[in-house]
Structure formats: C-alpha cells, structure tokens
Amino acid sequence: MASGDALEKKMVDKQSSEKTSIHVPNPHLEKMKEDVLYHFALGTGTHDLPALFGDVKFVCVGGSPSRMKAFITYIAEELEIGSPGSDYPNICAGTDRYAMYKAGPVLSVSHGMGIPSIAIMLHELIKLLYHSKCANVTIVRIGTSGGIGLEPGSVVITKQSVDAAFKPQFEQVILGKSVFRNTDLDEQLAEDLMECSKEIDEFSTVIGNTMCTLDFYEGQARLDGAICSYTEEEKQQYLKAAFKAGVRNIEMESSVFAAMCNLSGIKGAVVCVTLLNRLEGDQITTPHDVLNEYQKRPQKLVGHLIKKHLVKK
C-alpha cells in the first residue's frame, strides 16, 4: 500500500495545466471579515480552509449521507488512500444538515432532497472551494432517478437539465422577479464519462436530458400520491412527450446544480442510475439487494473517471 507521501507524488492532475480558479459572482464577499458556512459548521474565522481543502480536485455530491460515506470509502480504496477499513469522519459533524467526507483530493458531500436543499449546500460548497483557493475542480452529482424508456439499472449522464415543460432553464426568483439561468452541463466531461462506461462495460449508459421537478409525486406525473387530478392516459401522454423531447430520466436537483456550476465556472456533471421505467409504473418494487447494486453504478462510473485523472499509470 502506498504511503501518504508516496501517494501524493503518484497522483497527478491530468486536466489542463492552465489554472482555473473558482469564480464567485458576489462582490459582497470581499467586504466580509468572516464568512460563516453555517450549514457545514465551518467558517473562514474558525478553520484554515486552504489547509483543509486546498488540494481538492473532485467533489462528488449526492442526496444521502450514508451513500456519500460509502462513496468516499470506495474511492479511497480505488486511489489506495489510507489502509483497508479506514474510517472517514464526517467533517460537518457539528451540524445535522449535511455530511462531508474527504479522502486525498476527493470531497464527498450529501445534499438532501430537492432544489432548495442542494442549492443551500452548493452556495456554501462553492464558497468553501473559493476560500480554500482550489483550482481546476470538477463536481459530479451522483444519484438515483426514475427512467423514461430505459431498463431499470441504466445510467444516465445528463446533457442538459430541463424543467417540467422540457425547457433547458432554471428559474430563480430574486427580489420578486424571475431570472432564468442556463442548465447545460460540460459536454466534454459527459463524453469522458461515456468513454469510462465503455471501458467498464458492466451496465448500460446513455447521454440524455434530465427533467428536474419540484415534487416527487404530482410534479413527476405519478398516480400514487395523496393527491392526483389526472388520468393514467394523461400521465402516459406527458411522459411520452418528455421522451420525445430527449428526456431519459427524472430527478429533483439537476437544474440548480447545472446553473450554479455554470455561474461559478466549474465543470459539472450529473450521473444517475434509473430505478424503474416510469412508462411501466410509479412505485419501486425492486428487491433491496438489486437496488443496492444499482446505486453503486454511478459510483463505479465516476470513480473510474477520477482514477483516470488522478493516478499516474
């Protein structure tokens, strides 16, 4: 097993040698004596952020704290960081809002469910990377989703996030006015991930649009919520229209993720496994052990990408 010092020498960043710093489009930050990252229980006045996080090159985010701890354990083994069975403490243990884990140049952070939750996390994550003087950072959201026209277990790499009307935009209401932001994701990063899937050759992977909704039930045309005002036929018409518009999966975080990555100049990707084909049903009845294997697929794909970029052969 490589030692920590030897590992640092072994790891190289194969991205562009040109330094790409984090862009934070907020002039007010420069006037603040201290920036408290409240939901992380971190801050510029209480922590040496460059010392703690300055080496970060990849950040993976996902909804569940347990899933993100599983990911950091997996990637640490892939990168030969630490010893087998090492535990990675929650850096944000001072709060119960989010969980954060670190192994070498990889950060793993939970974001909860839905646009509001991930947006709060991203504001503080982007500021964390900025204050830490990080450069050439790639952020990937890994998670689960409902597929449209795909076999369960398929992995979707998002080309662009679209709203419930299939428009590639994220609407942010600021001072009472709607501001629409771009939701394209880094095309080259998506192609790199697709190439990684071909190299792994263990599961079906596609590049497609991802529909981001504000709700799990009515917003995703489910028939099994507490409230439903449409028919099975209307549901099918809507989902088929989504498929025709290039949508291959549905989740609840990709639009604000894409918008904030674009505004901050950060390479971003969304990689989600599909747990069911929504054209065939609404409820997830797949056995737990099968679902657990499905959920590991985005981890394997993104882990392969990270290893290719960080480990010198």
Side-chain angles (χ1 to χ4, degrees):
M1 185 66 66
S3 67
D5 290 341
L7 181 64
E8 288 182 5
K9 293 179 181 179
K10 181 180 179 183
M11 287 187 177
V12 294
D13 186 1
K14 296 182 181 178
Q15 301 178 68
S16 171
S17 59
E18 181 183 351
K19 184 176 180 180
T20 305
S21 300
I22 305 298
H23 175 58
V24 179
N26 180 0
H28 302 290
L29 290 180
E30 296 180 6
K31 303 174 185 177
M32 296 169 56
K33 293 182 179 180
E34 178 182 358
D35 191 1
V36 178
L37 307 180
Y38 173 73
H39 300 90
F40 285 165
L42 298 169
T44 58
T46 54
H47 297 79
D48 186 346
L49 298 181
L52 291 170
F53 303 103
D55 62 337
V56 170
K57 294 298 180 186
F58 283 91
V59 184
C60 291
V61 302
S64 162
S66 61
R67 191 184 303 154
M68 299 324 292
K69 184 166 187 178
F71 175 77
I72 207 65
T73 302
Y74 170 76
I75 197 63
E77 292 175 354
E78 287 293 298
L79 298 177
E80 299 182 354
I81 295 174
S83 57
S86 294
D87 186 41
Y88 296 89
N90 177 12
I91 298 170
C92 298
T95 176
D96 61 359
R97 186 62 61 189
Y98 303 108
M100 179 187 295
Y101 307 95
K102 186 176 185 295
V106 182
L107 202 60
S108 179
V109 190
S110 69
H111 59 58
M113 183 180 289
I115 288 173
S117 184
I118 191 174
I120 294 168
M121 187 281 291
L122 286 171
H123 273 282
E124 297 191 13
L125 173 63
I126 292 167
K127 291 197 297 176
L128 173 70
L129 298 172
Y130 171 76
H131 291 311
S132 300
K133 304 185 187 306
C134 295
N136 299 330
V137 178
T138 298
I139 303 181
V140 184
R141 167 170 141 66
I142 56 176
T144 59
S145 62
I148 301 182
L150 299 176
E151 286 295 317
S154 301
V155 172
V156 179
I157 302 167
T158 304
K159 178 180 180 181
Q160 59 181 192
S161 177
V162 301
D163 62 19
F166 318 141
K167 295 179 180 179
Q169 63 186 24
F170 169 64
E171 180 181 5
Q172 177 71 63
V173 178
I174 304 173
L175 303 181
K177 298 178 181 179
S178 291
V179 176
F180 295 91
R181 292 171 170 168
N182 179 276
T183 55
D184 290 340
L185 286 154
D186 191 274
E187 186 176 347
Q188 185 57 56
L189 181 55
E191 293 294 341
D192 290 346
L193 284 161
M194 178 58 77
E195 183 61 29
C196 286
S197 179
K198 293 175 182 177
E199 293 168 0
I200 296 172
D201 194 26
E202 292 183 11
F203 42 80
S204 174
T205 303
V206 301
I207 295 177
N209 291 344
T210 295
M211 183 164 69
C212 184
T213 67
L214 302 177
D215 167 57
F216 185 81
Y217 287 97
E218 290 180 288
Q220 296 187 10
R222 279 184 158 85
L223 301 174
D224 59 343
I227 300 167
C228 182
S229 60
Y230 43 85
T231 66
E232 165 74 28
E233 182 181 3
E234 289 172 326
K235 165 201 161 178
Q236 288 291 335
Q237 290 175 347
Y238 177 69
L239 293 180
K240 288 176 181 177
F243 184 86
K244 187 176 181 181
V247 174
R248 294 297 176 266
N249 65 333
I250 311 173
E251 46 86 270
M252 298 172 60
E253 293 86 18
S254 60
S255 62
V256 70
F257 175 88
M260 293 184 71
C261 283
N262 288 333
L263 288 169
S264 304
I266 300 174
K267 283 187 177 181
V270 176
V271 180
C272 291
V273 68
T274 60
L275 301 184
L276 75 167
N277 180 358
R278 288 294 318 289
L279 293 173
E280 297 178 355
D282 295 333
Q283 296 200 329
I284 300 171
T285 57
T286 306
H288 179 75
D289 58 332
V290 176
L291 289 177
N292 188 50
E293 193 279 323
Y294 285 172
Q295 292 179 22
K296 292 178 180 177
R297 293 180 179 184
Q299 295 184 22
K300 288 182 179 180
L301 179 52
V302 176
H304 189 79
L305 175 84
I306 292 173
K307 191 172 181 179
K308 281 181 65 175
H309 278 256
L310 292 178
V311 179
K312 185 177 181 180
K313 296 182 179 179

